[in-house]
Amino acid sequence: MNIQEYEKLNPFAALEHQGRKLVYLIPNSMCLMRAETLFTKEPSTIGWLDSIPTGAVYLDVGANVGMYVVYAGVIRQARVFAFEPEAQNYALLQRNIQANRLGTLAVAWCAALSDTEAFDRIHLSQFLTGGSCHSFGEALDPYLKERKPAFVQGCYATTIDKLVQTGVMPVPHYIKIDVDGFEHKVIKGAADTLQDPAVASLLIEINPALPEHRWIIEYLNGMGFRHDEKQVAEAERKEGYFKGVAEYVFRR
């Protein structure tokens, strides 16, 4: 294969849903799996996304390659603000935004969101486009235990409060947080923003085995957000590495 033939390669998956087409580029088997399981991997996430009103502001923290960024932009016509710190994932996230012609609705940054602003390192669990379970600032696994990284990248982190206070984005109406163990830090960095009544709902991947994650539940309940135990039970992983982990939907 010569370079011209190679450059023409652009494998993608096109999914029809609710009368619209979703396009996902699939450079490897991991990304193909994400496209094939879009509606089955986290059905509670899809159901939550479907509750977003047209034109609402949606913040995706830990966007990976943009599976839900594309869904929110194409299906819900939401104004999307996305953050993904891993370089390869971010590159494909941008390509997926472009492939779906979401340039006027979606914008993404190659940055982590946490409880402080800092230049540091992101420790990768694997060096693979579409990979996950990376950790900013500390070499930890999703259970917050020490782990030797497969690779380390330079990275910048900021907070949701800083983004809103500086006008980088408006107060988000809907917030999805999936950062493989570090969700509590993202919440701590959004203390002021979450007091704004414009924030209607959050979807957070929570591991109740972690005290840091049990704190999230108590903290948000104390701010007036409520979750449905039935919804959590339905979303809970019943087996595998993430057994017991679930997407918790919080609403005001």
Side-chain angles (χ1 to χ4, degrees), residues 88-161:
Q88 295 179 100
N89 288 348
Y90 177 73
L92 190 58
L93 165 61
Q94 292 286 28
R95 292 181 64 196
N96 281 330
I97 289 173
Q98 190 276 334
N100 288 276
R101 300 178 181 178
L102 292 174
T104 60
L105 280 177
V107 60
W109 284 266
C110 191
L113 295 188
S114 188
D115 57 353
T116 188
E117 288 189 279
F119 281 98
D120 208 320
R121 291 163 175 76
I122 183 171
H123 303 266
L124 308 191
S125 66
Q126 55 189 322
F127 191 70
L128 176 72
T129 304
S132 59
C133 297
H134 312 313
S135 58
F136 174 78
E138 304 172 86
L140 303 176
D141 68 13
Y143 288 84
L144 306 182
K145 296 180 180 179
E146 290 187 8
R147 174 188 62 189
K148 183 178 180 180
F151 189 72
V152 176
Q153 295 177 358
C155 187
Y156 173 74
T158 187
T159 70
I160 290 176
D161 283 345

Side-chain angles (χ1 to χ4, degrees), residues 44-53 58 68 71-72 76 176:
S44 59
T45 300
I46 296 295
W48 178 76
L49 288 169
D50 283 339
S51 73
I52 297 178
Y58 166 60
Y68 302 124
Y71 189 95
R76 305 309 306 158
K176 182 182 79 66

Side-chain angles (χ1 to χ4, degrees), residues 48-58 72 75-79 173-174 200 251:
W48 178 76
L49 288 169
D50 283 339
S51 73
I52 297 178
T54 299
V57 178
Y58 166 60
I75 302 300
R76 305 309 306 158
Q77 293 291 289
R79 295 176 58 197
H173 305 128
Y174 292 79
R251 299 185 187 277

